[in-house]
């Protein structure tokens, strides 16, 4: 007998090895379990205790083995090898899971095979991606009552689809309604009025915290609209509560956010598009802290995507949702989102990004601390004050460019400042060489200075 067989038998049964003394009814169950797990070998002619009994290996008996294997559905090419008086049945890891036999669905659990219950079958189908949440009919939705015509019109505009196509035909072609006129889950997410009632777990929750811990909540929003509205509102929430620096070169003003717009947009769309919608215990959650922004969604990596392939290979957990978002140019087909996030953050240099995935997928943007010329880390309060001032002065400069004769009273309304606050900022802008006053206080006007010519400009006296 071959040495490797002796070693297998000596090691005993395990996750990938099963001994069968005879060809009984449980044989096909073991084959089914291996096909649904990660493959294995059934050795016919060996007892459970590892005693070699031998088995018939003539053509008639091998035909019986082949007949038994034909019970497996769908078809799987299972290898049969004769070694002395043993038959080794080599079952590969099936690529078309789940597999079933006449006795049901089985899966390997340690050194044993177990029959799946109804709920375990559903869970298995979901895990293997054989049942798609977005394609399922939504039993709760009533199309005539829940359809949002405004959301549908907006989708057509974004997708560049003519409005002359029959509405019901188009929705069927988009797989958003069934042939019977019932909403699919994707249809609910895109074109229903109230997803909070129909799919409560599909809302997007945004929270702003004071400081760096989950203690004091300053602002909280639950976005309950259609999927496009929720994405847009979540992006605006984060942008509203994170810092923006203003870089003014010549007459152009450049906004430099802590988190690049491209990266923020990709991360939020990814969370909404690729979350596990079968998991009803959690929502997409976006949390804003002083030092970071965390975006998380239920579900780790989708089935078929290995950790080593993360960022290089695209596997859509919800292909219909992804397809609809692609139609309106919210996502790319080729799965470049992760690399786009990394590249945008690297170019921005104001933040770093981390990814984690187990049962929850998370993207964490961390603000890069600012360092003084003495090598000290600038405190968050200092940064916030400085950037708030920068944002205020940016508004003032923009207003002056639009109307050089604008008054201090008008500037106070634009910048949401008191007159004294406006005067303080105007003084700072003049000292920094960014504006000057031409003419008298009453009859003159403001002028925004091209910074490339600052060295040639004489500072004007305070007006």
């Amino acid at each position: 007998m071959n040495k490797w067989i002796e070693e297998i038998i000596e090691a005993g049964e395990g996750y990938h090895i099963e001994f069968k003394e005879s060809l009984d009814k449980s044989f096909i169950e073991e084959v089914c379990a291996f096909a649904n797990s990660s493959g294995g070998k059934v050795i016919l002619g060996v007892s459970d205790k590892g005693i070699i009994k031998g088995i018939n290996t003539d053509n008639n008996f091998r035909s019986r083995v082949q007949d038994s294997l034909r019970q497996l559905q769908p078809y799987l090419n299972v290898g049969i090898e004769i070694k002395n008086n043993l038959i080794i049945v080599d079952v590969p890891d099936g690529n078309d899971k789940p597999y079933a036999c006449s006795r049901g669905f089985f899966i390997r659990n340690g050194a044993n095979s177990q029959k799946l219950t109804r709920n375990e079958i559903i869970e298995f189908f979901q895990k293997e991606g054989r049942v798609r949440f977005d394609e399922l009919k939504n039993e709760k939705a009533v199309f005539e009552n829940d359809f949002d015509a405004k959301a549908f019109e907006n989708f057509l505009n974004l997708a560049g689809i003519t409005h002359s196509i029959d509405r019901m035909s188009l929705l069927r072609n988009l797989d958003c309604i069934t042939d019977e006129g019932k909403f699919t889950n994707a249809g609910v997410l895109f074109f229903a009025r109230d997803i909070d009632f129909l799919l409560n777990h599909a809302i997007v929750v945004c929270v702003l915290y004071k400081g760096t811990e989950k203690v004091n909540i300053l602002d909280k929003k639950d976005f309950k609209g259609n999927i496009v509205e929720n994405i847009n509102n979540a992006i605006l929430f984060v942008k509203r509560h994170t810092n923006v620096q203003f870089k003014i070169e010549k007459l152009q003003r450049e906004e430099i956010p802590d988190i690049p717009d491209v990266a923020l947009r990709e991360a939020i769309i990814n969370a909404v598009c690729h979350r596990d919608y079968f998991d009803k215990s959690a929502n997409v959650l976006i949390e804003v802290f002083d030092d970071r922004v965390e975006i998380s969604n239920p579900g780790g990596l989708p089935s078929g995507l290995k950790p080593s392939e993360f960022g290089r290979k695209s596997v859509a957990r919800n292909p219909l949702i992804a397809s609809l978002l692609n139609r309106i140019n919210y996502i790319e087909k080729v799965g470049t989102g992760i690399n786009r996030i990394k590249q945008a953050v690297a170019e921005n240099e104001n933040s770093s990004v981390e990814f984690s995935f187990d049962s929850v997928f998370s993207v964490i943007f961390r603000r890069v601390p600012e360092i003084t010329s003495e090598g000290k880390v600038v405190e968050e309060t200092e940064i916030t004050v400085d950037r708030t001032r920068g944002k205020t002065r940016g508004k003032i400069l923009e207003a002056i460019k639009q109307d050089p004769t604008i008054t201090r009273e008008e500037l106070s309304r634009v910048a949401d400042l008191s007159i004294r606050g406006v005067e303080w900022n105007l003084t700072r802008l003049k000292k920094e060489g960014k504006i000057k006053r031409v003419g008298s206080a009453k009859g003159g006007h403001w002028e925004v200075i091209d910074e490339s010519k600052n060295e040639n400009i004489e500072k004007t006296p305070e007006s």
Side-chain angles (χ1 to χ4, degrees), residues 274 314-316 319 322-323 325-327 330-337:
H274 300 301
S314 176
V315 176
S323 174
L325 288 173
N326 175 254
R327 281 178 175 269
Y330 270 52
I331 65 170
E332 299 285 342
K333 246 184 183 178
V334 292
T336 58

Side-chain angles (χ1 to χ4, degrees), residues 78-133:
V78 178
I80 296 177
E81 189 177 1
I82 307 298
K83 293 292 184 182
N84 298 329
N85 60 343
L86 301 178
I87 297 179
I88 292 91
V89 180
D90 191 1
V91 185
D93 181 4
N95 292 323
D96 199 14
K97 298 171 186 172
Y99 292 85
C101 63
S102 59
R103 299 171 65 84
F105 293 87
F106 292 83
I107 197 167
R108 201 71 176 166
N109 184 8
N112 300 302
S113 296
Q114 69 177 46
K115 187 174 183 178
L116 297 178
T117 64
R118 175 186 177 278
N119 289 340
E120 287 170 338
I121 291 171
I122 293 172
E123 183 180 347
F124 186 86
F125 270 64
Q126 293 169 0
K127 180 182 177 183
E128 294 299 324
R130 302 305 176 188
V131 177
R132 307 287 193 185
F133 172 87

Side-chain angles (χ1 to χ4, degrees), residues 69-77 95-100:
L69 291 172
R70 289 192 185 97
Q71 295 181 43
L72 196 66
Q73 296 295 327
Y75 171 79
L76 182 65
N77 187 16
N95 292 323
D96 199 14
K97 298 171 186 172
Y99 292 85

Side-chain angles (χ1 to χ4, degrees), residues 244-260:
V244 176
Q245 298 182 52
F246 292 93
K247 182 179 180 182
I248 301 176
E249 293 183 353
K250 299 183 179 179
L251 296 181
Q252 301 298 317
R253 183 183 75 168
E254 180 184 0
E255 295 185 357
I256 307 176
D258 273 355
I259 303 172

Side-chain angles (χ1 to χ4, degrees), residues 378-405:
V378 181
E379 293 296 328
E380 178 63 29
T381 52
E382 297 178 62
I383 295 169
T384 302
V385 169
D386 184 60
R387 291 184 181 173
T388 301
R389 288 172 177 169
K391 186 181 293 188
T392 300
R393 291 177 200 168
K395 289 180 180 178
I396 292 173
L397 283 170
E398 191 66 29
I400 289 173
K401 280 195 288 184
Q402 296 294 326
D403 180 10
T405 62

Side-chain angles (χ1 to χ4, degrees), residues 92-322:
D93 181 4
N95 292 323
D96 199 14
K97 298 171 186 172
Y99 292 85
C101 63
S102 59
R103 299 171 65 84
F105 293 87
F106 292 83
I107 197 167
R108 201 71 176 166
N109 184 8
N112 300 302
S113 296
Q114 69 177 46
K115 187 174 183 178
L116 297 178
T117 64
R118 175 186 177 278
N119 289 340
E120 287 170 338
I121 291 171
I122 293 172
E123 183 180 347
F124 186 86
F125 270 64
Q126 293 169 0
K127 180 182 177 183
E128 294 299 324
R130 302 305 176 188
V131 177
R132 307 287 193 185
F133 172 87
D134 46 1
E135 297 172 357
L136 294 176
K137 179 172 65 176
N138 188 291
E139 298 290 355
K140 190 184 285 188
V142 177
F143 183 83
E144 292 76 14
N145 298 333
D146 296 313
F147 179 70
D148 187 343
K150 184 178 178 182
F152 182 68
E153 294 293 316
N154 183 53
F155 181 89
L156 295 184
N157 293 333
L158 291 172
I161 299 173
T162 176
H163 292 234
S164 62
I165 302 175
D166 176 70
R167 185 176 71 186
M168 299 304 286
S169 297
L170 181 55
L171 286 168
R172 286 191 191 94
N173 290 337
L174 293 173
D175 294 314
C176 289
I177 61 171
T178 66
D179 291 338
E180 299 80 31
K182 291 285 291 182
F183 263 129
T184 62
N185 283 328
V188 169
L189 288 171
F190 279 85
F191 305 124
R193 286 195 179 91
D194 186 4
I195 67 165
D196 185 29
F197 171 70
L198 300 172
L199 293 171
N200 176 262
H201 62 291
I203 69 174
V204 177
V205 179
C206 296
V207 187
L208 171 68
Y209 294 98
K210 180 180 180 181
T212 60
E213 302 295 332
K214 296 185 182 185
V215 179
N216 298 313
I217 295 177
L218 298 179
D219 191 11
K220 182 177 182 291
K221 294 286 189 296
D222 293 346
F223 295 117
K224 304 175 181 181
N226 63 65
I227 196 170
V228 177
E229 287 180 348
N230 288 351
I231 289 170
N232 293 339
N233 285 329
I235 292 171
L236 289 174
F237 182 92
V238 177
K239 288 172 70 69
R240 187 165 65 246
H241 293 303
T242 49
N243 296 317
V244 176
Q245 298 182 52
F246 292 93
K247 182 179 180 182
I248 301 176
E249 293 183 353
K250 299 183 179 179
L251 296 181
Q252 301 298 317
R253 183 183 75 168
E254 180 184 0
E255 295 185 357
I256 307 176
D258 273 355
I259 303 172
D261 290 346
V262 170
L264 176 63
R265 178 182 172 87
E266 290 286 346
I268 291 176
I269 291 173
N270 184 81
V272 172
C273 177
H274 300 301
R275 66 153 291 173
D276 180 2
Y277 282 95
F278 283 114
D279 185 347
K280 298 180 181 180
S281 64
N283 306 107
V284 170
L285 179 62
I286 301 171
E287 300 170 293
V288 181
F289 301 86
D290 281 357
D291 62 342
R292 68 194 186 280
V293 173
E294 297 186 12
I295 301 168
S296 58
N297 60 271
L301 296 182
S303 177
L305 184 62
K306 300 175 183 176
S308 59
E309 298 171 325
F310 175 68
R312 297 188 295 107
K313 179 181 176 183
S314 176
V315 176
R317 176 180 276 118
N318 305 299
L320 180 51
I321 293 174

Side-chain angles (χ1 to χ4, degrees), residues 292-462:
R292 68 194 186 280
V293 173
E294 297 186 12
I295 301 168
S296 58
N297 60 271
L301 296 182
S303 177
L305 184 62
K306 300 175 183 176
S308 59
E309 298 171 325
F310 175 68
R312 297 188 295 107
K313 179 181 176 183
S314 176
V315 176
R317 176 180 276 118
N318 305 299
L320 180 51
I321 293 174
S323 174
L324 293 170
L325 288 173
N326 175 254
R327 281 178 175 269
I328 58 176
N329 299 312
Y330 270 52
I331 65 170
E332 299 285 342
K333 246 184 183 178
V334 292
T336 58
I338 299 301
N339 287 332
R340 282 162 63 84
I341 292 172
K342 292 178 178 178
Q343 182 179 347
V345 168
E347 292 173 354
N348 175 269
E349 297 183 345
N350 281 349
S351 57
S352 63
V353 64
E354 305 164 17
F355 302 92
S356 66
F357 35 83
D358 37 43
S359 60
V360 174
F361 184 93
S362 298
V363 182
I364 303 173
F365 296 101
R366 296 189 186 277
R367 182 183 56 77
V368 175
E370 293 191 14
I371 309 298
T372 66
S373 57
E374 292 81 21
K376 295 180 180 179
V377 175
V378 181
E379 293 296 328
E380 178 63 29
T381 52
E382 297 178 62
I383 295 169
T384 302
V385 169
D386 184 60
R387 291 184 181 173
T388 301
R389 288 172 177 169
K391 186 181 293 188
T392 300
R393 291 177 200 168
K395 289 180 180 178
I396 292 173
L397 283 170
E398 191 66 29
I400 289 173
K401 280 195 288 184
Q402 296 294 326
D403 180 10
T405 62
I406 192 169
T407 65
R408 285 171 169 78
E409 289 75 13
E410 290 169 332
L411 283 173
S412 73
R413 290 193 292 272
V414 169
D416 194 22
L417 291 172
S418 64
I419 298 295
R420 186 172 180 178
V422 169
E423 291 175 345
W424 187 89
N425 278 281
L426 289 172
T427 299
R428 296 301 304 173
L429 287 169
K430 285 191 286 186
K431 286 184 177 180
E432 292 168 6
K434 293 179 179 177
I435 60 172
K436 68 176 181 179
R437 183 74 183 177
V438 178
S440 65
K442 289 187 177 181
H445 65 272
W446 295 103
E447 185 176 306
V448 178
I449 299 170
D450 185 337
E451 286 194 337
S452 64
K453 301 176 183 178
N454 277 355
E455 62 272 15
N456 300 320
I457 297 174
E458 293 185 7
K459 299 290 188 297
T460 59
E462 298 290 336

